[in-house]
Amino acid sequence: MWFRRLFSWVFTLDHKRIGLFYIIMGVWSGFLGLGLSLMIRINFIEPYYSVVSADCYNFLITNHGIVMIFFFLMPVLVSGFGNYLIPLLGGLEDLNLPRLNALSMWILLPSILFLAISMSLGAGVGWPFYPPLADKEFSTSSGVDFLMFSLHLAGLSSLLGSINFICTILSCIHVSDVPRDSVILWAYLFTSILLLISLPVLAAAITMLLFDRNFGSAFFDPMGGGDPILFQHMFWFFGHPEVYVLILPGFGLISYICSGLNNTPTPFGVVGLVSAMFCIVGLGLCVWGHHMFIVGLDISTAVFFSSVTMIIGVPTGIKVFSWLYMLSNSAVNWSEPVFWWIISFIVLFTFGGVTGIILSACVLDSILHDTWFVVAHFHYVMSLGSYISVILMFLWWWPVITGFTLNKYLLQAHCLISQVGFNLSFFPMHFFGMCGLPRRVCAYDCSFYTTNLVCTLGSLISVFSGVLLIFILWESLSVKNIVLGSCSDANVPFNLLHGVSPNHVGFIYNYCLMAGYFN
């Protein structure tokens, strides 16, 4: 009966169904954020004539960043695939706290509802919510309050999910014997720890700002003895670890895939990989001040934040060279789309990391701060790095979750189209920044017209690549080419797991069979 089936899905405690809910909501939000970014780029087709009004432009840049970070990348990359992979790779039937897991998922729905209300009312304060711009005197729209409520609920959802992930991973991981599967478990453990430490600080900052707006307090109002710079400290104490929250699952996945392509039971330098992630977590909590070099930090504080930011490049370099070593010793077919995406991840993320080293120098950052150079760096590191991680998650685990293969030639075309779109859209922004073109400004000098046109073309290509990915997934479900034929079949078609042991293949097949994926 359809009612009973619907009832079973609404009140489900199954981590697979909850993960599917997260992924569906995240993909929907991702296309919403992609549409907002396309409107931003279309607005730059003309240098002085704005396609949309200045207020609408502010609404677009505010909601684009929030939607992509809090409602696309985190639900898909952290919560969605985390729900699938942690029990699967930990050998568990479900997460340790299934009711808490279901609660964290359902909290995300009213959060998206408040986001939609705020978009209809208008909230043009920028995604960091800096006061005094976010104060009642400058932003009278109640959409700002609804957007803060939305972030409160999204943060609560992530916080509850992090507690669940930590409890589950600690119950199944063994520190003395780290198998290849546990690299992803370590990544999700560190991600959850970062969220558990940083999210309460963001919640406190937003709560204080809500009190300033609605109850007459003056936490960030200098006229009442407050300090607006305090909000920046609190926001970036969350904001910079959030970058690693979104990239650490990708680090774990790349390590896992590279070891699979290398046909080794454990990744090269597994202790170094895990230790590098631990160092990134520790150092990432200490570098929030490099977003604030122009607020008047004293020279000792600026040098500290600048130095620690540069040191983060060391553990990141350890991971990159470990991946390159494993890839150089692999016998994988170079035509594999997964291999193409791994190379793309390494190249784009490394390029974004190099521009991050440039911005970590307080002298250079004072020149490039709040220009398009920062936008280019941010998108190369987090947007492209995390988005490629999402694509790799789908490519690697889609056959395991659904039991169906993906079209190899469509995946190759998708990779090429995506790379063209990414680089056309974001690479010219470095030039804008070095020329001093400020971001969050909807008008520009006509000498930048041609380059902006190229960026807009790249944005259109990127939108097409996103639609193509959904078509590839839909085509897989339509054609229904079965991956695994039997539990004892160790030679998996489509080279599904690339070097995973036959026992693990059998375990995954039984897992999928138990989940009801093979009909």
Side-chain angles (χ1 to χ4, degrees), residues 8-26:
S8 67
W9 276 88
V10 171
F11 294 95
T12 183
L13 299 179
D14 184 6
H15 70 99
K16 300 179 293 298
R17 292 184 174 184
I18 293 174
L20 181 61
F21 277 129
Y22 272 120
I23 293 174
I24 291 174
M25 287 188 289

Side-chain angles (χ1 to χ4, degrees), residues 23 81 84-85 393 397-404 512 517-518:
I23 293 174
F81 282 103
Y84 268 105
L85 299 183
M393 287 281 190
W397 295 107
W398 178 268
V400 176
I401 293 173
T402 64
F404 305 131
C512 295
Y517 291 121
F518 301 149

Side-chain angles (χ1 to χ4, degrees), residues 313-373:
V314 175
T316 306
I318 292 174
K319 302 182 74 61
V320 170
F321 286 115
S322 298
W323 298 334
L324 292 176
Y325 177 83
M326 287 187 281
L327 289 177
S328 65
N329 288 276
S330 66
V332 66
N333 187 351
W334 283 44
S335 64
E336 286 288 343
V338 171
F339 182 80
W340 291 12
W341 277 112
I342 292 176
I343 296 298
S344 301
F345 178 92
I346 294 175
V347 172
L348 296 178
F349 182 80
T350 302
F351 183 80
V354 171
T355 58
I357 295 296
I358 295 174
L359 291 173
S360 68
C362 53
V363 176
L364 295 176
D365 184 78
S366 300
I367 301 172
L368 297 172
H369 185 82
D370 239 2
T371 66
W372 281 94
F373 193 93

Side-chain angles (χ1 to χ4, degrees), residues 380-402:
Y380 264 92
V381 171
M382 198 182 78
S383 178
L384 298 186
S386 300
Y387 178 64
I388 292 176
S389 300
V390 171
I391 294 175
L392 281 170
M393 287 281 190
F394 276 110
L395 265 61
W396 192 258
W397 295 107
W398 178 268
V400 176
I401 293 173
T402 64

Side-chain angles (χ1 to χ4, degrees), residues 368 371 430-437 448:
L368 297 172
T371 66
H430 296 93
F431 170 72
F432 293 157
M434 289 186 288
C435 292
L437 192 67
F448 298 102

Side-chain angles (χ1 to χ4, degrees), residues 85-150:
L85 299 183
I86 291 176
L88 172 65
L89 299 178
L92 304 175
E93 294 183 1
D94 206 329
L95 296 172
N96 280 12
L97 306 171
R99 288 178 175 81
L100 190 67
N101 192 31
L103 176 63
S104 65
M105 184 268 294
W106 286 114
I107 288 177
L108 196 61
L109 282 180
S111 178
I112 294 177
L113 176 62
F114 283 137
L115 173 70
I117 295 174
S118 72
M119 292 179 65
S120 64
L121 296 176
V125 295
W127 76 275
F129 290 98
Y130 280 176
L133 183 60
D135 288 343
K136 202 72 171 181
E137 292 78 8
F138 291 90
S139 299
T140 58
S141 172
S142 57
V144 179
D145 299 311
F146 277 102
L147 191 56
M148 292 181 184
F149 291 148
S150 175

Side-chain angles (χ1 to χ4, degrees), residues 180-181 184 252-260 396-397 500 504:
R180 176 165 57 86
D181 302 298
I184 300 181
L253 177 69
I254 299 295
S255 303
Y256 178 86
I257 296 178
C258 287
S259 61
W396 192 258
W397 295 107
V500 174
H504 191 62

